[in-house]
């Protein structure tokens, strides 16, 4: 029998009840996800390759021009051509760009240049950055800390204890809570495992096993055929893929279309529950891949629904960096003329500072 691409109950114009319609909708959704997920996964691997071979090299090329720009500003500063207000702006730009290049792109040869123009040393600035990042992490953990330290879990005199004793109690409570969570997760996995070996799925599986188990087959060619079928059946069962098991039943003529259309209310309800779980698992898998794609190319995860869309976005990113390289090369050429750099500094404002009076010339 020809294997259908989408398993559905009834014909397009057949009048169906609510459960039958739901079965068809779930079946179609699974088929869509089964096609989309491999495409997205292939897209993700393609992006990894293109990021390494195409994107990263031109990004580093752009950053190398930023290094040249910083050195150019340093040389200009040393010539002492501008008044103090402009030199202050120049020093700020040199230190800011240098810090970014050192921290994010490993141009450590710029550390002396940063120290030359910054009000604090590179080590101090780096420690401050780490402290700020640590504060962000700590704020995310604050809710968890509040959950641990509450009136029901700590001694009445908790806040009267020494700091060391409070820390010890917090660590004990955190360990107890982590243990409880681990036990809950273990129990949840047991329940999930039990759900995955549901009676309905197993009934379909056992029907195929009884029909195609090769052990009692005497004909060698038929035994080989049944062995191959059982490999497909077993893998599908282990994946808890009810839809594919039903397809195998139809493919090997264990059931026909009438069987699906005459499923009882209770049986169909349970089938739909299993299919819903399968849709949820596939949706989660799809979303995880979309997030990975988004990280690589900046596309909204919800928009990463085809290789074409993702590749178009990635190509746009490539072209944008190439345009930035062209622009920074032009800037380097222009800023070799001090008057052009001065014109830029005249309009530039250091963040969170007062605007300077720019009437004076060189």
């Amino acid at each position: 029998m020809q294997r259908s691409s989408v398993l559905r109950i009834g014909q397009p114009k057949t009048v169906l009840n609510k459960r039958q319609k739901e079965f068809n909708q779930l079946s179609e959704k699974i088929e869509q996800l089964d096609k989309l997920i491999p495409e997205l996964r292939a897209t993700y691997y393609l992006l990894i390759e293109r990021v390494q071979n195409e994107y990263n090299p031109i990004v580093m090329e752009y950053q190398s021009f930023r290094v040249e720009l910083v050195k150019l500003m340093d040389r200009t500063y040393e010539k002492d051509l501008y008044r103090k207000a402009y030199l202050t702006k120049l020093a700020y730009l040199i230190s800011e760009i240098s810090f970014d290049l050192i921290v994010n792109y490993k141009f450590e040869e710029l550390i002396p240049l940063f120290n030359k123009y910054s009000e604090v040393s590179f080590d101090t600035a780096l420690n401050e950055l780490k402290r700020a990042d640590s504060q962000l992490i700590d704020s995310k953990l604050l809710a968890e800390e509040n959950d641990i330290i509450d009136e029901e879990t700590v001694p009445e005199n908790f806040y009267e204890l020494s700091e060391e004793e409070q820390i010890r109690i917090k660590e004990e409570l955190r360990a107890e809570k982590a243990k409880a969570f681990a036990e809950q997760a273990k129990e949840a996995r047991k329940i999930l495992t039990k759900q995955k070996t549901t009676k309905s799925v197993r009934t379909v599986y056992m029907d195929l096993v009884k029909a195609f188990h090769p052990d009692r087959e005497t004909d060698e060619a038929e035994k080989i055929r049944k062995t191959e079928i059982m490999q497909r059946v077993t893998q599908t069962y282990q994946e808890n893929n009810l839809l594919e098991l039903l397809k195998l039943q139809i493919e090997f003529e264990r059931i026909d279309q009438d069987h699906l259309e005459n499923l009882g209310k209770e049986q169909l309800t349970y089938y739909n529950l299993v299919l819903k779980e399968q849709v949820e698992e596939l949706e989660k898998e799809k979303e995880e891949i979309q997030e990975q794609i988004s990280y690589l190319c900046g596309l909204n995860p919800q928009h990463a629904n085809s290789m074409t869309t993702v590749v178009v976005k990635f190509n746009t990113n490539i072209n944008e960096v190439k345009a930035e390289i062209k622009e920074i090369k032009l800037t380097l050429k222009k800023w070799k003329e001090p008057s052009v750099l001065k014109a830029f500094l005249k309009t530039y404002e250091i963040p969170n500072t007062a605007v300077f009076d720019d009437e004076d010339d060189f």
Side-chain angles (χ1 to χ4, degrees):
M1 178 180 289
Q2 181 65 35
R3 185 176 180 180
S4 61
S5 59
V6 179
L7 187 64
R8 59 178 293 117
I9 296 175
Q11 300 302 317
K13 295 183 179 181
T14 304
V15 178
L16 304 175
N17 61 42
K18 181 179 179 180
R19 291 175 182 80
Q20 291 173 325
K21 289 178 181 178
E22 184 180 22
F23 179 93
N24 287 345
Q25 291 169 353
L26 291 168
S27 175
E28 290 171 4
K29 185 64 176 179
I30 290 171
E31 292 292 341
Q32 292 170 4
L33 290 169
D34 279 341
K35 292 179 181 179
L36 177 60
I37 288 173
E39 180 182 353
L40 292 180
R41 188 175 291 110
T43 302
Y44 171 66
Y45 291 132
L46 174 65
L47 280 189
I48 290 178
E49 181 178 353
R50 292 194 63 187
V51 165
Q52 294 174 345
N53 297 334
E54 299 178 47
Y55 187 74
N56 285 348
I58 62 173
V59 167
M60 292 308 297
E61 181 184 357
Y62 174 73
Q63 302 308 328
S64 68
F65 283 118
R66 291 180 74 207
V67 172
E68 292 303 314
L69 196 66
V70 167
K71 292 179 179 178
L72 173 62
M73 288 190 286
D74 173 49
R75 293 193 297 269
T76 305
Y77 189 101
E78 289 292 335
K79 293 178 182 178
D80 198 20
L81 300 173
Y82 308 141
R83 69 186 182 88
K84 184 177 179 180
Y86 288 177
L87 292 177
T88 300
K89 293 181 181 182
L90 203 54
Y92 175 82
L93 285 170
I94 293 171
S95 60
E96 286 294 300
I97 298 173
S98 296
F99 189 75
D100 177 62
L101 288 167
I102 297 165
V103 173
N104 295 316
Y105 301 100
K106 310 305 179 186
F107 287 97
E108 296 182 356
E109 67 270 22
L110 295 178
I111 292 178
L113 203 58
F114 174 86
N115 290 334
K116 177 180 176 181
Y117 290 99
S118 174
E119 296 180 355
V120 299
S121 70
F122 174 75
D123 290 340
T124 301
L126 185 61
N127 288 334
E128 179 62 24
L129 178 64
K130 291 178 179 178
R131 186 186 68 81
D133 289 343
S134 177
Q135 286 181 339
L136 287 175
I137 295 173
D138 289 344
S139 65
K140 293 178 180 178
L141 295 176
L142 182 59
E144 177 184 343
E145 183 74 7
N146 289 337
D147 286 342
I148 295 173
I149 307 304
D150 57 43
E151 298 299 328
E152 296 180 2
T153 58
V154 300
E156 292 182 2
N157 64 336
F158 176 81
Y159 293 104
E160 299 174 6
L161 300 173
S162 66
E163 183 178 351
E164 292 77 10
E165 186 66 6
Q166 288 184 22
I167 292 174
R168 184 189 65 79
I169 293 175
K170 287 180 182 179
E171 291 298 330
E172 289 179 355
L173 291 172
R174 187 177 288 108
E176 290 175 4
K177 193 166 187 178
K179 183 179 179 180
F181 282 155
E183 291 175 352
Q184 291 174 8
K186 184 178 180 181
E187 187 62 26
R189 285 194 295 269
K190 288 182 179 179
I191 294 173
L192 183 59
T193 300
K194 185 177 180 180
Q195 289 175 342
K196 287 193 172 185
T197 54
T198 59
K199 182 177 179 180
S200 292
V201 178
R202 185 167 180 78
T203 299
V204 178
Y205 169 69
M206 289 308 298
D207 174 72
L208 291 165
V209 169
K210 291 174 183 177
F212 297 105
H213 202 290
D215 286 357
R216 296 182 180 181
E217 182 59 57
T218 56
D219 182 88
E220 191 60 30
E222 185 64 9
K223 186 173 185 177
I224 293 174
R225 186 182 79 89
K226 288 186 175 181
T227 298
E228 292 174 352
I229 292 173
M230 277 305 304
Q231 288 174 347
R232 291 174 59 188
V233 170
T234 302
Q235 180 180 349
T236 303
Y237 176 64
Q238 290 173 346
E239 294 171 354
N240 196 43
N241 195 330
L242 172 64
L243 198 63
E244 286 302 319
L245 285 173
L246 292 173
K247 284 185 179 182
L248 288 172
Q249 278 191 310
I250 292 177
E251 179 180 350
F252 298 117
E253 299 184 348
R254 299 299 300 168
I255 61 173
D256 56 19
Q257 195 66 31
D258 289 339
H259 176 86
L260 289 179
E261 294 176 11
N262 293 316
L263 284 172
K265 174 181 175 181
E266 183 177 352
Q267 186 71 38
L268 191 53
T269 297
Y270 201 82
Y271 276 9
N272 287 346
L273 288 174
V274 176
L275 295 180
K276 281 181 182 178
E277 290 179 2
Q278 189 173 344
V279 168
E280 290 172 0
E281 292 173 0
L282 291 172
E283 284 284 1
K284 182 178 179 181
E285 183 178 358
K286 181 197 74 170
E287 290 169 5
E288 289 175 351
I289 301 173
Q290 287 176 319
E291 289 289 345
Q292 294 171 331
I293 290 173
S294 175
Y295 176 78
L296 290 175
C297 72
L299 184 66
N300 186 312
Q302 295 179 349
H303 297 161
N305 287 317
S306 72
M307 179 178 288
T308 300
T309 301
V310 174
V311 168
V312 167
K313 170 60 177 173
F314 186 80
N315 289 342
T316 300
N317 295 347
I318 292 283
N319 291 333
E320 286 176 352
V321 177
K322 289 180 178 179
E324 290 174 357
I325 290 174
K326 185 177 180 180
E327 180 66 25
I328 198 171
K329 288 171 71 175
L330 182 61
T331 299
L332 270 169
K333 182 178 180 181
K334 289 180 176 180
W335 283 12
K336 288 179 180 178
E337 176 57 50
S339 62
V340 178
L341 177 54
K342 176 182 178 294
F344 166 78
L345 293 172
K346 184 174 183 178
T347 59
Y348 177 76
E349 295 181 14
I350 298 175
N352 303 319
T353 60
V355 178
F356 292 105
D357 180 6
D358 293 325
E359 290 182 358
D360 295 341
D361 210 330
F362 287 100

